[in-house]
Amino acid sequence: MKHLLDTQGLAYDDALAILDTADEMTAVSSREVKKLPTLRGRTVVNLFYEDSTRTRISFEAAAKRLSADVMNFSAKGSSVSKGESLKDTVQTLDAMGADAIVIRHSASGAAAQLAASDWSEAAVINAGDGTHEHPTQALLDALTLRRGWSAAHASSPRGSDLSGMRVLIVGDIVHSRVARSNVWLLRTLGADVHLAAPATLLPYGTDSWPVTIHYSLDDALSAAPDAVMMLRVQAERMGGTFFPTAAEYARRWGLTDERLAVVERLRQGTTDAAALILHPGPMNRGVEISSAAADSPQAKILDQVAHGVAVRMAVLHLLLSQRQPDGSHDE
Amino acid sequence: MKDYLILGASILGDAPTDVVVRDGNIASIGSGNAEPRANVPMETIDGTGLIALPGMVDLHVHLREPGREDAETVETGSRAAAKGGFTAVHAMANSSPVADTAGVVEQVHRLGQDAGWTEVYPVGAITKGLGGKVLAELGAMAESSAKVRMFSDDGHCVNNAQLMRRAMEYVKTIDGFVAQHAQDADLTGWETESPAQMNEGRVSATLGLPGWPAVAEEAIIARDVLLADYVGSRIHICHVSTKGSVEIIRWAKERGIQVTAEVTPHHLMLTDELVKSYDPVYKVNPPLRTEADTQALREALAEGVIDVIGTDHAPHPEQAKECEWDQAAMGMTGLETALPAVQHAMVETGLIGWRRFAEITSIRPAEIYGHTHQGRPIAAGEPANMILIDPSAATTVHPGTHASKGRNSPFRGIELPGEVRHTFLGGLPVMLDGELATPRSTGSAA
């Protein structure tokens, strides 16, 4: 692994290595001194073309807990509006000695273009590109799911995958990089992936994906998922061209109090453990998820946040600890 | 002016013979009648292994001048045309200022004559400023010294059906025709914050790029062939890219509607799978489609449902392509790779022979425009707009060697068959042995 660009191309062994390493990293985060010396002297740049305080501070915390130096570069807006091209920005960061570039960009493919270019030798980590992928989010979701699934089965999460687990992803799939990354990663890990959304929020061409599609959330819930992942509905989608109103969306596609009662009866597999509720945040309480559902004991939303730091530590560790300072890479 | 004796070339792939070019015309065909004239030097060209074809005619290029001389000029685009084997090109109107007045089309026409590497015919805009709101001065452009006959808002679709109807009616009165860039604005999110970026389908679903659905092209073609039928006009469809469009054009032709259609070399060869690299060199409008579409386009071109090749040569400066996909410019160069790409897609596959090749690259485009001196047979007494090509050559595409300023060739690094060796423009070899020679000087007969 030289870069982490997407989960579609992430091999099973690499995915498990990240999850297992992340499990070790969670122990660091609960220690009194939350720091490892692994990346001392390495420089991690957070190159953020979109506002995302949550993701940026998660990466920043991860890099700092590994003792790396962190530089934050916020480049709001497009390269056209700010007057410097991605190429020039990246070459500038490279000249400053970046070992890893964590890039968040509104353009799908920006991370892949950076990795394919000769602009920098740094390891590239995709922190979300347009509506393409957000691989570390999917990895932290998988870490959360794996912990829940193995706890339900009273087994150790280490080395295990998600075989047999049914995960339902609900909402705005078409605009969601989180959904795309989850579909590929969860399938790689052996999960059975279901999607539930109005047809307007599913990409044309989804029929070729290895998933089961529902147009009714109630039908999807009656298929007995072991985990339900609610996606955020962006305010700008509520204008009436994708669905009529936020109220109709909540009635038909939201995890309402009535549907929470259904989810409360769901069990993981044949165990007695309750099904899991996930949300990548930030939540629109009352739209895609009711307050009761968000605050339910089944909701793992804050675990997801904690796991985000651990997963990003694992990714930085695995990408950088095998690299020579000149950018070459040990296999 | 010298005379030229071409020895042993194969006209349209027939048995080798000799061709004499004299005073701008083909003087004779056949061996043994090539006596030099007194006081006129005769240069001999070895035509062994070469095929003689009528000079290619491209109804669809972007020469960027006036306004974007950093991307291309009429001079550099004309050189690219000569190297590519084109003896006439038609320059689309999306320059800056737009070619929507007599002044601009006369400027482009004169720059073409001054360059002298190929014949440059400006295409006039249908609507003022390509704005899609009011008609441009079509009559003034037709009556100008550029004598514009082809009108197109290419790069933009004429979305307003009433305006399209009136444009088709109006050009009848000035003996012109309309060429439509078929793209429904709403279905492609045009002028919105997330305009279509690539073909909509399996690949776009995964890449998370807004899709350009096939139906956005097909719906406009269906509307426009019905309008053409209704008002009794003819219509030319630019860069057809989908299987569904082929079916609509086939239906329209069977009903006797006066529709002609064009396809680009890149849509015959390349698919949206290439977009997985996110390399903006593959960003083009209409977008690269699927394997099923390229197959349907090839068959339609062989059968005659699609009439002509148009390159949609669209050079861009490096920075317009070396950026994020959604900010990158749309378009690919095409003049210097057209013959190899079409030979690869159509001839090597056995779908067509060189006779049909001449029809789709020269004879039909000249007929559609109404040229009487281009797209002519290679026969005694005909104007010598002619190329000699080496079909057995195999060349790897290196955009850096192109005469065009554009380096945005989607074929870079690919080995393609066929090479244009000589280009005769009105009897003058503007390219000899694969190298640009001498341009035609201003004032000589067109």
Side-chain angles (χ1 to χ4, degrees):
Chain A
M1 233 187 356
K2 189 168 186 291
H3 309 289
L4 179 65
L5 304 177
D6 54 49
T7 61
Q8 194 178 28
L10 186 64
Y12 177 86
D13 288 345
D14 287 334
L16 275 198
I18 293 169
L19 295 181
D20 288 349
T21 308
D23 261 324
E24 293 170 22
M25 296 297 179
T26 51
V28 177
S29 299
S30 56
R31 294 202 310 221
E32 195 177 341
V33 178
K34 300 181 176 62
K35 207 140 177 134
L36 288 175
T38 334
L39 298 185
R40 182 176 293 153
R42 301 299 185 95
T43 300
V44 175
V45 176
N46 290 321
L47 175 57
F48 274 54
Y49 283 85
E50 276 186 335
D51 282 332
S52 176
T53 310
R54 290 165 152 264
T55 305
R56 187 180 56 73
I57 62 173
S58 181
F59 269 106
E60 190 169 347
K64 285 179 171 168
R65 281 179 197 175
L66 295 172
S67 307
D69 296 320
V70 180
M71 299 194 289
N72 289 311
F73 191 113
S74 290
K76 270 188 85 174
S78 68
S79 63
V80 175
S81 65
K82 80 184 169 59
E84 184 177 60
S85 69
L86 178 62
K87 173 183 172 175
D88 289 335
T89 302
V90 167
Q91 286 183 334
T92 301
L93 298 174
D94 190 63
M96 291 177 186
D99 294 294
I101 296 177
V102 177
I103 179 171
R104 169 76 153 235
H105 203 297
S106 60
S108 297
Q113 285 179 287
L114 172 47
S117 75
D118 57 2
W119 306 334
S120 169
E121 287 298 315
V124 178
I125 299 170
N126 182 5
D129 61 325
T131 54
H132 175 222
E133 287 223 29
H134 191 358
T136 56
Q137 175 72 41
L139 284 159
L140 72 87
D141 289 338
L143 188 67
T144 309
L145 292 167
R146 187 172 81 159
R147 289 199 157 196
W149 187 243
S150 50
H153 291 85
S155 62
S156 161
R158 203 181 154 76
S160 73
D161 59 21
L162 301 176
S163 294
M165 190 174 199
R166 178 167 294 173
V167 181
L168 170 64
I169 304 173
V170 184
D172 186 357
I173 311 291
V174 70
H175 300 105
S176 176
R177 50 193 171 209
V178 175
R180 285 180 180 79
S181 280
N182 265 299
V183 164
W184 308 121
L185 180 64
L186 298 180
R187 283 291 301 164
T188 297
L189 294 174
D192 175 23
V193 180
H194 289 227
L195 306 179
T200 48
L201 294 180
L202 284 163
Y204 183 89
T206 323
D207 51 355
S208 65
W209 288 7
V211 298
T212 303
I213 290 170
H214 305 270
Y215 292 137
S216 154
L217 178 53
D218 294 314
D219 289 353
L221 290 175
S222 60
D226 303 302
V228 181
M229 183 185 299
M230 304 305 296
L231 297 176
R232 175 179 171 79
V233 181
Q234 303 285 346
E236 59 264 33
R237 315 290 177 219
M238 297 183 194
T241 59
F242 289 94
F243 50 87
T245 59
E248 173 151 330
Y249 184 90
R251 279 195 298 274
R252 296 181 64 86
W253 305 100
L255 186 49
T256 57
D257 290 351
E258 294 74 21
R259 292 199 180 95
L260 177 61
V262 176
V263 174
E264 280 170 348
R265 292 194 295 273
L266 294 174
R267 292 291 171 268
Q268 292 187 56
T270 55
T271 72
D272 292 330
L276 310 172
I277 296 171
L278 281 74
H279 192 298
M283 292 182 282
N284 293 304
R285 287 176 184 249
V287 184
E288 75 268 5
I289 189 165
S290 73
S291 270
D295 299 331
S296 144
Q298 287 173 272
K300 301 296 167 192
I301 296 163
L302 291 176
D303 289 352
Q304 288 173 271
V305 175
H307 292 159
V309 177
V311 154
R312 287 159 185 141
M313 288 171 76
V315 170
L316 286 167
H317 174 79
L318 290 170
L319 288 180
L320 289 185
S321 63
Q322 295 164 28
R323 282 168 71 91
Q324 305 302 318
D326 66 358
S328 67
H329 185 250
D330 296 338
E331 287 302 334
Chain B
M1 203 170 179
K2 279 193 242 180
D3 291 350
Y4 293 90
L5 169 61
I6 301 154
L7 288 172
S10 149
I11 297 171
L12 302 181
D14 293 342
T17 187
D18 301 343
V19 179
V20 176
V21 175
R22 178 173 286 165
D23 296 335
N25 292 322
I26 292 165
S28 65
I29 304 284
S31 52
N33 46 6
E35 286 305 309
R37 294 189 287 179
N39 301 323
V40 181
M42 180 178 260
E43 185 170 336
T44 301
I45 294 170
D46 183 6
T48 309
L50 304 185
I51 294 177
L53 298 167
M56 297 197 287
V57 175
D58 193 345
L59 290 176
H60 195 146
V61 302
H62 297 272
L63 299 184
R64 304 297 186 215
E65 195 176 5
R68 288 307 304 268
E69 292 81 0
D70 58 326
E72 191 83 290
T73 63
V74 174
E75 169 73 26
T76 57
S78 295
R79 287 169 175 262
K83 282 189 82 176
F86 290 91
T87 52
V89 297
H90 299 73
M92 285 297 179
N94 61 339
S95 50
S96 178
V98 170
D100 58 0
T101 61
V104 177
V105 293
E106 287 187 348
Q107 179 192 2
V108 173
H109 188 239
R110 184 179 52 74
L111 288 167
Q113 287 182 326
D114 289 350
W117 297 104
T118 190
E119 290 180 357
V120 176
Y121 295 93
V123 176
I126 297 171
T127 68
K128 191 175 175 185
L130 305 176
K133 300 283 189 237
V134 296
L135 292 177
E137 291 186 357
L138 307 179
M141 288 189 277
E143 286 166 12
S144 74
S145 64
K147 297 188 178 63
V148 175
R149 303 188 72 260
M150 178 175 178
F151 297 92
S152 181
D153 274 5
D154 181 67
H156 301 265
C157 182
V158 180
N159 270 283
N160 183 315
Q162 179 75 304
L163 195 61
M164 188 62 182
R165 172 207 168 145
R166 292 197 174 133
M168 282 196 264
E169 288 178 316
Y170 194 85
V171 295
K172 281 203 294 185
T173 64
I174 53 175
D175 192 29
F177 69 103
V178 163
Q180 174 70 297
H181 169 118
Q183 175 187 357
D184 185 280
D186 295 323
L187 283 170
T188 50
W190 233 229
E191 314 284 316
T192 70
E193 281 197 357
S194 54
Q197 296 290 327
M198 67 171 296
N199 179 52
E200 182 166 83
R202 299 174 55 161
V203 181
S204 67
T206 301
L207 295 186
L209 287 170
W212 200 130
V215 68
E217 173 173 308
E218 293 153 8
I220 294 293
I221 294 176
R223 181 197 78 178
D224 286 354
V225 296
L226 292 174
L227 283 174
D229 193 25
Y230 185 65
V231 301
S233 285
R234 65 188 179 108
I235 173 112
H236 180 71
I237 309 294
C238 299
H239 43 51
V240 171
S241 72
T242 79
K243 187 178 177 179
S245 298
V246 167
E247 292 312 310
I248 294 162
I249 294 162
R250 186 194 311 275
W251 172 87
K253 286 190 166 185
E254 283 168 2
R255 286 192 34 139
I257 296 171
Q258 300 174 75
V259 57
T260 53
E262 148 198 308
V263 64
T264 70
H266 51 265
H267 286 112
L268 293 174
M269 264 191 71
L270 309 176
T271 70
D272 63 352
E273 295 287 325
L274 291 165
V275 183
K276 288 178 176 171
S277 67
Y278 288 104
D279 183 339
V281 79
Y282 301 116
K283 184 172 177 181
V284 66
N285 189 10
L288 300 178
R289 304 285 187 185
T290 69
E291 186 70 33
D293 293 302
T294 62
Q295 278 307 322
L297 293 168
R298 290 178 182 199
E299 285 161 21
L301 184 59
E303 285 172 43
V305 173
I306 292 176
D307 299 82
V308 301
I309 293 287
T311 63
D312 197 4
H313 175 75
H316 287 290
E318 185 169 284
Q319 70 272 14
K321 288 290 192 179
E322 204 172 47
C323 60
E324 294 87 329
W325 178 280
D326 67 6
Q327 290 163 26
M330 294 176 295
M332 305 169 163
T333 60
L335 283 169
E336 290 164 84
T337 48
L339 180 131
V342 176
Q343 182 179 338
H344 172 86
M346 300 299 295
V347 181
E348 308 277 297
T349 51
L351 286 166
I352 64 170
W354 291 108
R355 207 162 292 278
R356 178 69 186 149
F357 183 94
E359 285 174 9
I360 61 178
T361 59
S362 177
I363 299 167
R364 280 297 285 151
E367 280 174 2
I368 289 168
Y369 192 89
H371 294 300
T372 52
H373 64 294
Q374 295 276 358
R376 299 295 304 165
I378 297 175
E382 294 287 352
N385 292 309
M386 177 177 67
I387 58 175
L388 293 165
I389 68 140
D390 179 0
S392 62
T395 316
T396 302
V397 177
H398 294 296
T401 65
H402 286 171
S404 168
K405 283 192 181 183
R407 296 290 172 261
N408 50 308
S409 170
F411 301 114
R412 70 178 169 204
I414 297 179
E415 188 182 271
L416 291 173
E419 189 177 30
V420 182
R421 300 295 304 163
H422 310 277
T423 302
F424 281 86
L425 176 66
L428 187 75
V430 289
M431 183 168 77
L432 274 173
D433 272 329
E435 299 293 337
L436 290 171
T438 313
R440 185 156 71 178
S441 61
T442 309
S444 65

